[in-house]
Amino acid sequence: MDQVWFYIFAAITIVASLGVIGQRNPMHSVMLLIVSFGGLAGLYILLDAPFTAVTQIIIYAGAIMVLFLFVVMLLNAHTEDEDIPAALGPHALKAGVLLSLLLAVQVAWALTRVPETGFTNDPGTVSAIKSVAQIGSQLFTTHSFAFEVTSILILVAMVGAVVIAGKPREER
Amino acid sequence: MITLNEYLILSGVLFSIGTAGVFLRRNLITMLLSIEIMLNAVNLSFVAGGRYHGSVDGQIITFFVMTVAAAEAAVGLALVIALFRHKETLSPDAYTTLKW
């Protein structure tokens, strides 16, 4: 049963991600990326990580994607220039597709050579991974320094975004 | 039975889709979205690896990656807005002033 769900969610994620890079309209790209994140959240649930799945939906699909949508609507740029600049040469697009396919094939090939490693089904381990209390205590003890640094990062990013996107000084 | 390998291959394919987006698209917003796809591909391999090792560290680093993604999105989109104010276009080919 898990196998069926894995392939369903994997298909949703891959098709939606391909849609993201295939759409001309950025608005559709953002919407498809939200669908892709939904598929990933399903995969996290299959991996016994329900808290991460919920965070994925709330933070990623809920907050970060709204930020993207907000900017797409603000800039009102619904199309992309079709013409490829002459400096790139006539085969630029084909070469890019080829290189990306090459990367995908290489990564998949390398990973298929790794011996099959199944997941443990020990109920104790599974319930420890699922536990939000376990995640919380680990986050605030072992990883407390990284957690604090993260808050500084957010502060710097916030100030930086305001400074960069704010109006130039003379116009104020 | 689904093994760690399937998740890692899925993660690798998603990462490749993300790089393809950065290579092929000429729209700054779609390029940022492609970076988000790549970050999520890495997140998936972290969670799968954590599940394999039976520890919550994989999920915890996912939260840090999400935070970095949020910071990156905020600063990146601020840059996009500032650039759009200059030239009224989202094509990265238009911003070559720093090129020698």
Side-chain angles (χ1 to χ4, degrees), chain B:
Chain B
M1 192 61 204
I2 296 297
T3 59
L4 180 63
N5 302 53
E6 270 90 354
Y7 281 100
L8 290 181
I9 289 172
L10 174 63
S11 163
V13 169
L14 276 178
F15 192 88
S16 309
I17 294 175
T19 41
V22 176
F23 282 147
L24 301 176
R25 297 306 306 274
R26 287 172 312 104
N27 179 322
L28 289 172
I29 289 181
T30 322
M31 287 167 88
L32 280 175
L33 289 175
S34 305
I35 294 174
E36 298 290 330
I37 296 178
M38 288 155 86
L39 286 168
N40 272 283
V42 175
N43 271 353
L44 180 66
S45 62
F46 274 136
V47 175
R51 174 73 182 77
Y52 172 67
H53 285 291
S55 88
V56 292
D57 288 354
Q59 296 181 54
I60 287 171
I61 199 155
T62 302
F63 300 139
F64 292 136
V65 173
M66 280 183 195
T67 323
V68 171
E72 171 253 317
V75 176
L77 289 169
L79 283 170
V80 169
I81 291 176
L83 286 172
F84 193 78
R85 216 179 262 152
H86 269 282
K87 291 210 177 164
E88 297 277 314
T89 174
L90 286 178
S91 169
D93 301 315
Y95 303 104
T96 50
T97 325
L98 283 177
K99 243 186 199 170
W100 183 56

Side-chain angles (χ1 to χ4, degrees), chain A residues 103-115:
Chain A
L103 177 67
V105 169
Q106 264 183 344
V107 170
W109 178 78
L111 287 171
T112 47
R113 296 178 63 82
V114 178

Side-chain angles (χ1 to χ4, degrees), chain A residues 58-151:
Chain A
I58 295 176
I59 310 273
Y60 247 122
I64 300 182
M65 284 305 115
V66 168
L67 191 66
F68 272 95
L69 269 186
F70 190 71
V71 172
V72 171
M73 290 176 183
L74 185 74
L75 298 183
N76 204 18
H78 289 308
T79 49
E80 183 177 327
D81 307 340
E82 293 285 333
D83 54 314
I84 293 171
L88 288 179
H91 303 298
L93 194 68
K94 275 180 224 154
V97 171
L98 202 69
L99 279 177
S100 314
L101 277 178
L102 194 68
L103 177 67
V105 169
Q106 264 183 344
V107 170
W109 178 78
L111 287 171
T112 47
R113 296 178 63 82
V114 178
E116 292 275 304
T117 38
F119 294 117
T120 170
N121 280 319
D122 173 41
T125 318
V126 172
S127 67
I129 292 172
K130 270 187 174 174
S131 148
V132 180
Q134 184 75 18
I135 295 172
S137 66
Q138 284 280 311
L139 186 60
F140 290 110
T141 54
T142 322
H143 303 280
S144 57
F145 178 71
F147 181 80
E148 297 299 336
V149 170
T150 300
S151 64

